[in-house]
Amino acid sequence: MKCDSCQEEETWLEIIGNQYICHKCMQKNKDMGFLFRTNIEIFKRVMKKLKPKDYQEYTLIAKEQIEKAVPDLKKFGIKLN
Ligand SMILES: [Zn+2]
């Protein structure tokens, strides 16, 4: 399958809205990429709450929004920069 952002052929893609995004492109949002790598459960919770409608919106998710979506972030030992 092809990534809708970089057009590279990848085996594993994440679905954001109606787009398929490769793991490399997922890292373009620094904080979300960090959660994606380190704690997929929290990542999923943030995605469920913020519901970015496409990749563009995903890349714009700010640290403040993540902290608001998961107020107990610190409990999980997660610190965003
Ligand atoms: Zn990509």
Side-chain angles (χ1 to χ4, degrees):
M1 297 245 308
K2 253 187 188 164
C3 170
D4 285 320
S5 170
C6 65
Q7 307 300 324
E8 298 271 344
E9 195 70 39
E10 296 284 345
T11 313
W12 301 104
L13 296 166
E14 289 296 312
I15 300 166
I16 300 176
N18 58 0
Q19 296 178 309
Y20 291 90
I21 303 299
C22 77
H23 289 193
K24 213 163 53 202
C25 289
M26 295 296 286
Q27 301 300 321
K28 292 212 176 115
N29 182 321
K30 198 166 58 76
D31 292 322
M32 288 303 279
F34 175 73
L35 286 181
F36 186 72
R37 288 196 311 277
T38 58
N39 199 320
I40 193 72
E41 287 309 315
I42 302 291
F43 175 85
K44 283 182 186 158
R45 259 171 70 183
V46 175
M47 290 296 275
K48 220 166 146 183
K49 276 215 166 153
L50 300 179
K51 295 188 186 71
K53 67 175 187 320
D54 53 24
Y55 178 65
Q56 163 81 16
E57 204 172 290
Y58 165 85
T59 60
L60 296 174
I61 294 174
K63 181 186 157 208
E64 290 72 27
Q65 284 171 280
I66 300 172
E67 287 171 342
K68 225 173 145 188
V70 188
D72 50 355
L73 209 55
K74 281 201 182 84
K75 224 172 63 188
F76 296 95
I78 296 167
K79 247 185 90 189
L80 301 173
N81 293 308

